[in-house]
């Protein structure tokens, strides 16, 4: 299994440079805002997105100053969407920390999200990184469309595989796709190379989301609470497949549990067991590996062995991770 520290090692110096530049990009002279941005910086995640930007740049010719700005732009806009998501979802925790709205209330959280969005836009405009701004802005647009499509379909629980893949392509995969496209563009790649890297990132993003779907059913035994997606009435790939294999009465029974009894642990367990016994997990894992292979195929025999291997290891990490 690929370890995160092993992935970070080849670009450790570049990640440090990125952190310094990202900190600079977050700076403000407003005391309250400064406290909040320092809090956000303290609870940084695994830095997977900046790693994809920098690794894609290396693969396409080399990391430049624009690569660091591209990574910062992605993180600023992504963080803005997370802050806004927590307000919309009334969520009080993220990655084990209190959310911004939990500590400073909704109005301040929304304004902080707006501030981060503006900082990202200005970072690009002031440095004339118009290509990078276009790539990331398109991703944010797709993320919003994917979220709204999911909300619309969730009311009737009528999401089939085609709709599911459209939702996750927009909602999740578009961001990782923008990371890879930004990395390529920052390294001076051609439009054809940028599109190849965008598609590469999209395949990874879809595989990443399927892995998340599997976690909800206890796949890989990570010790996290199970059935969260069911409680939130989310139609994930293992569940969609299981319903497709069931007869009409069984399908009605499971849909009824998700709609009306999703807060009862014993009923949620019935759905979990139903999906496992219907082959939903095995099917989703196969689909995840197909998308992983499609990503590998897009970069096969291109770039240096060192930089291609690093990108491939990043892909393997997204599909082998245990959290």
């Amino acid at each position: 299994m690929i370890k995160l520290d092993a992935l970070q090692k080849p670009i450790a110096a570049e990640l440090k440079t990125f952190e310094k530049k990202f900190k600079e990009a977050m700076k403000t002279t407003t005391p309250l805002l400064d406290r909040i941005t320092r809090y956000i910086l303290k609870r940084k995640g695994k830095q997977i997105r900046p790693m994809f930007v920098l690794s894609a740049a290396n693969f396409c010719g080399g990391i430049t100053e624009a690569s660091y700005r591209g990574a910062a732009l992605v993180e600023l806009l992504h963080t803005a969407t997370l802050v806004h998501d927590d307000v919309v979802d009334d969520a009080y925790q993220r990655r084990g920390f209190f959310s911004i709205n939990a500590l400073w209330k909704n109005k301040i959280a929304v304004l902080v999200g707006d501030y981060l969005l503006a900082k990202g836009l200005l970072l690009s405009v002031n440095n004339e990184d118009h290509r990078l701004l276009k790539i990331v802005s398109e991703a944010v647009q797709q993320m919003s469309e994917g979220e709204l499509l999911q909300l619309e379909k969730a009311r009737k629980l009528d999401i089939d595989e085609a709709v599911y893949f459209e939702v996750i392509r927009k909602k999740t995969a578009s961001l990782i796709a923008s990371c890879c496209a930004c990395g390529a563009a920052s390294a001076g790649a051609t439009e054809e190379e940028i599109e190849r890297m965008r598609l590469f990132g999209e395949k990874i993003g879809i595989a990443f989301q399927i892995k998340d779907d599997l976690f909800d059913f206890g796949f890989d035994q990570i010790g996290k609470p199970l059935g969260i997606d069911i409680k939130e009435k989310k139609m994930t790939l293992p569940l969609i497949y299981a319903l497709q294999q069931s007869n009409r009465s069984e399908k009605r029974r499971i849909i009824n549990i998700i709609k009306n009894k999703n807060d009862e642990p014993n009923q949620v367990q019935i759905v979990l067991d139903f999906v496992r016994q219907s082959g939903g997990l095995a099917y989703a894992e196969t689909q995840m590996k197909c998308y992983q292979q499609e990503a590998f195929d897009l970069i096969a025999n291109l770039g240096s062995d060192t930089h291609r291997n690093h990108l491939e290891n990043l892909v393997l990490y997204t599909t082998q991770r245990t959290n």
Side-chain angles (χ1 to χ4, degrees):
M1 186 179 291
I2 307 291
K3 300 287 186 185
L4 186 61
D5 54 357
L7 276 178
Q8 292 171 334
K9 198 172 182 182
I11 53 171
E14 289 84 354
L15 281 171
K16 272 204 168 141
T17 303
F18 159 73
E19 281 181 28
K20 186 179 174 186
K21 290 178 181 291
F22 184 56
K23 201 172 178 181
E24 282 292 313
M26 294 272 272
K27 267 193 174 172
T28 172
T29 54
T30 306
L32 173 60
L33 201 47
D34 185 57
R35 279 203 306 279
I36 297 171
T37 54
R38 278 191 281 115
Y39 178 74
I40 290 170
L41 285 166
K42 254 194 326 188
R43 50 175 208 159
K44 66 178 183 184
K46 299 170 188 171
Q47 295 189 307
I48 295 295
R49 285 168 297 278
M51 286 172 72
F52 269 117
V53 176
L54 298 176
S55 297
N58 262 336
F59 179 76
C60 292
I63 293 170
T64 65
E65 283 299 311
S67 307
Y68 293 117
R69 291 195 298 270
L73 170 62
V74 169
E75 281 296 88
L76 283 164
L77 296 196
H78 177 56
T79 306
T81 63
L82 294 182
V83 171
H84 284 160
D85 281 352
D86 286 340
V87 173
V88 171
D89 297 338
D90 211 15
Y92 292 109
Q93 278 202 332
R94 183 171 288 277
R95 297 191 192 121
F97 291 89
F98 284 116
S99 60
I100 303 303
N101 50 300
L103 294 172
W104 286 282
K105 305 303 177 191
N106 285 349
K107 186 173 183 179
I108 288 174
V110 170
L111 292 169
V112 168
D114 293 346
Y115 170 79
L116 295 171
L117 180 64
K119 288 292 273 188
L121 299 175
L122 284 170
L123 178 66
S124 297
V125 172
N126 290 342
N127 289 283
E128 298 187 357
D129 294 325
H130 300 128
R131 188 69 185 92
L132 304 186
L133 183 56
K134 185 173 188 293
I135 289 167
V136 180
S137 296
E138 285 172 350
V140 173
Q141 175 185 316
Q142 291 207 349
M143 287 161 68
S144 302
E145 288 173 354
E147 189 75 55
L148 288 165
L149 177 59
Q150 186 177 51
L151 286 169
E152 179 188 3
K153 293 292 183 179
R155 289 173 186 165
K156 295 180 181 176
L157 296 182
D158 62 350
I159 294 180
D160 58 17
E161 271 195 50
V163 173
Y164 166 83
F165 280 112
E166 178 70 0
V167 167
I168 68 167
R169 183 183 67 77
K170 288 184 168 184
K171 186 181 167 184
T172 304
S174 61
L175 187 66
I176 296 179
S178 75
C179 292
C180 297
C182 274
S186 72
T190 64
E191 285 301 316
E192 185 182 349
E193 290 166 334
I194 293 168
E195 175 55 22
R196 176 182 287 270
M197 292 310 294
R198 187 201 67 76
L199 193 55
F200 168 80
E202 184 174 285
K203 303 287 186 189
I204 300 159
I206 292 171
F208 182 96
Q209 183 57 56
I210 295 173
K211 182 71 172 183
D212 264 9
D213 289 356
L214 287 164
F215 284 152
D216 201 53
F217 294 91
F219 190 84
D220 280 352
Q221 281 122 18
I222 54 167
K224 283 189 174 181
L226 305 183
I228 300 297
D229 289 339
I230 294 165
K231 289 167 191 168
E232 293 178 359
K233 301 182 185 179
K234 285 183 183 172
M235 297 291 282
T236 59
L237 188 58
L239 175 59
I240 291 167
Y241 176 81
L243 289 169
Q244 284 171 347
Q245 307 312 303
S246 62
N247 59 45
R248 190 175 292 178
S249 65
E250 191 173 35
K251 187 175 181 177
R252 259 203 316 267
R253 181 174 72 97
I254 296 299
I255 292 288
N256 180 54
I257 290 172
I258 297 167
K259 272 186 176 178
N260 305 310
K261 303 176 184 178
N262 59 336
D263 57 347
E264 299 175 29
N266 63 323
Q267 294 297 308
V268 170
Q269 189 60 51
I270 288 171
V271 180
L272 292 173
D273 293 339
F274 161 75
V275 171
R276 290 181 189 130
Q277 290 157 14
S278 302
L281 303 191
Y283 176 77
E285 186 185 15
T286 299
Q287 290 295 306
M288 177 184 75
K289 286 181 176 173
C290 284
Y291 278 99
Q292 175 181 283
Q293 188 56 51
E294 286 175 18
F296 288 153
D297 292 345
L298 282 164
I299 60 170
N301 306 315
L302 297 173
S304 74
D305 288 347
T306 302
H307 294 141
R308 186 176 62 254
N309 288 343
H310 191 247
L311 266 180
E312 288 173 346
N313 284 336
L314 259 174
V315 175
L316 288 172
Y317 176 79
T318 65
T319 54
Q320 293 177 358
R321 65 200 164 91
T322 56
N323 58 40

